[in-house]
Amino acid sequence: MRIAGSTVLLTGVTGGIGGALAAELSARGARLVLTGRRPEALEPLAQRYGARTIPADLADPDDVRRLAEEAAGTDILIANAALPSSGDVLDYTPEQIDRALAVNLRAPAVLARLLAPGMVAAGRGHICFVGSLSGMAATRSSSLYNATKFGLRGFSLAFRQDLHGTGVGVSIVQPGFVRELGMFAKTGSSTPGGVRTVSPEQVCRGVTRAIERDVAEVNVAPPELRFLTKVASQFPGFAERVQRLAGAEPTIKAIVAAQRASR
C-alpha cells in the first residue's frame, strides 16, 4: 500500500505519538484526515499539514459512527488514539472503565468495521492499529490497559485473516517504552529495570513499514525487551516474579500518580 497520495484517517493526533505520525505521513505525501476531541488543538495541525479535521469523542458511539461517515473514502486507517488507563482497577469507577474500553478497543474495532467495506470495494486499503507491548505481557497496575491492548492485538490479527484476498491489509504496531513522549516524559521516571527506550521516529517507521509492506505485527522495541515480552507472554507467573525483582514499583507508582492528576 502506497502512503503517498492516499487518504489517511489518523486518530489520537493531539496526544502522544499522534503528532509525530502526522508529521511523518505528511512528509510522505499522504492526504491527512485528523481527528481528536478538541477542535482548538486540531486547528494548528490542519494549517501545518493542509489536513482536513473531524472533531470526535471516541468514547461516544454516535461520534464514532459520524466520524466514519464523514471520513468515507479513507484509504488507510491508523487507529492510534488510546487512554493510558493505568492504576488499580479498584480505583476506577464503572464509568471510567467504560470510557477506557470504548476509546482503546471499541472505537478502533468499529471504525475498522465501518471503513473496511469501502476499501474492499476499491480492492485496496490498509488498517493499522497502534497497540503496545502491553498487549502481549501483563504488568502490575495495568489491568485495564492490558485488557484493551490484548483485545486490540487479537482483533487485528484475526481481522487480517478475515480480509485476506480482498486487497486490504491489517497490521498492529506495538511500541515498547517511548522516550520524549507520554508518561515517562511527563513524570521523568526511569523505565523498569533500566530497559532501553525507542524514539517516536522509530515508532513512525514501524507504522509506515507495516502499511507499505503489509506486515501483520511490528514490535518497536530493543531486542532484549522484545525477547522478554515473548517470554512473559508464555510464562506469566515467571514474568510476575521478575518484574518484582526488577524494581518496577517506583516507576509504576509515578506513572499512576501522573495519570490520576490528569483525569
Side-chain angles (χ1 to χ4, degrees), residues 107-127:
V110 171
L111 285 173
R113 162 63 185 87
L114 295 177
L115 293 173
M119 299 180 191
V120 171
R124 62 186 295 275
H126 200 93
I127 297 167

Side-chain angles (χ1 to χ4, degrees), residues 176-199:
F177 300 114
V178 182
R179 59 181 173 270
E180 303 168 23
L181 295 172
M183 282 299 159
F184 287 103
K186 291 180 180 178
T187 63
S189 303
S190 59
T191 57
V195 172
R196 290 188 296 159
T197 60
V198 295
S199 68

Side-chain angles (χ1 to χ4, degrees), residues 86-88 138-143 146 243-244 249 252-253 256:
S86 293
D88 294 339
T139 53
R140 181 175 178 173
S141 295
S142 299
S143 303
N146 284 140
Q243 287 174 34
R244 285 199 293 266
E249 187 73 18
I252 292 171
K253 286 182 177 179
V256 170

Side-chain angles (χ1 to χ4, degrees), residues 168-258:
V168 180
V170 180
S171 302
I172 185 162
V173 176
Q174 300 180 130
F177 300 114
V178 182
R179 59 181 173 270
E180 303 168 23
L181 295 172
M183 282 299 159
F184 287 103
K186 291 180 180 178
T187 63
S189 303
S190 59
T191 57
V195 172
R196 290 188 296 159
T197 60
V198 295
S199 68
E201 291 75 20
Q202 286 175 284
V203 179
C204 292
R205 287 197 295 270
V207 169
T208 57
R209 182 165 72 89
I211 293 168
E212 292 179 335
R213 300 184 186 180
D214 190 22
V215 183
E217 183 175 52
V218 177
N219 296 325
V220 185
E224 66 272 19
L225 183 55
R226 295 200 302 270
F227 172 73
L228 290 171
T229 300
K230 292 285 188 182
V231 172
S233 69
Q234 295 296 314
F235 305 100
F238 171 74
E240 179 184 338
R241 293 192 293 274
V242 169
Q243 287 174 34
R244 285 199 293 266
L245 291 172
E249 187 73 18
T251 297
I252 292 171
K253 286 182 177 179
I255 291 173
V256 170

Side-chain angles (χ1 to χ4, degrees), residues 11-261:
T11 72
V13 70
T14 58
I17 199 69
L21 279 170
E24 178 69 20
L25 294 164
S26 177
R28 288 174 176 263
R31 295 192 298 267
L32 290 177
V33 181
L34 307 177
T35 184
R37 278 197 307 135
R38 296 177 292 122
E40 68 277 10
L42 291 174
E43 185 56 34
L45 299 174
Q47 296 177 4
R48 185 179 308 161
Y49 302 120
R52 181 184 169 206
T53 61
I54 307 175
D57 181 354
L58 297 185
D60 184 337
D62 292 334
D63 261 17
V64 173
R65 184 173 293 275
R66 176 182 57 79
L67 173 61
E69 291 172 353
E70 294 188 23
T74 291
D75 300 310
I76 299 170
L77 166 65
I78 302 179
N80 166 70
L83 296 177
S85 311
S86 293
D88 294 339
V89 173
L90 296 181
D91 292 334
Y92 278 77
T93 66
E95 292 76 18
Q96 288 171 329
I97 291 174
D98 286 342
R99 184 171 183 82
L101 293 172
V103 173
N104 292 13
L105 184 56
R106 183 188 184 278
V110 171
L111 285 173
R113 162 63 185 87
L114 295 177
L115 293 173
M119 299 180 191
V120 171
R124 62 186 295 275
H126 200 93
I127 297 167
C128 181
F129 300 100
V130 179
S132 166
L133 288 186
S134 293
M136 299 178 66
T139 53
R140 181 175 178 173
S141 295
S142 299
S143 303
L144 195 51
Y145 190 67
N146 284 140
T148 60
K149 294 305 181 181
F150 269 73
L152 191 65
R153 180 173 185 258
F155 179 83
S156 174
L157 296 177
F159 195 43
R160 176 183 174 85
Q161 295 186 45
D162 294 343
L163 294 182
H164 178 72
T166 65
V168 180
V170 180
S171 302
I172 185 162
V173 176
Q174 300 180 130
F177 300 114
V178 182
R179 59 181 173 270
E180 303 168 23
L181 295 172
M183 282 299 159
F184 287 103
K186 291 180 180 178
T187 63
S189 303
S190 59
T191 57
V195 172
R196 290 188 296 159
T197 60
V198 295
S199 68
E201 291 75 20
Q202 286 175 284
V203 179
C204 292
R205 287 197 295 270
V207 169
T208 57
R209 182 165 72 89
I211 293 168
E212 292 179 335
R213 300 184 186 180
D214 190 22
V215 183
E217 183 175 52
V218 177
N219 296 325
V220 185
E224 66 272 19
L225 183 55
R226 295 200 302 270
F227 172 73
L228 290 171
T229 300
K230 292 285 188 182
V231 172
S233 69
Q234 295 296 314
F235 305 100
F238 171 74
E240 179 184 338
R241 293 192 293 274
V242 169
Q243 287 174 34
R244 285 199 293 266
L245 291 172
E249 187 73 18
T251 297
I252 292 171
K253 286 182 177 179
I255 291 173
V256 170
Q259 290 180 9
R260 282 176 179 164

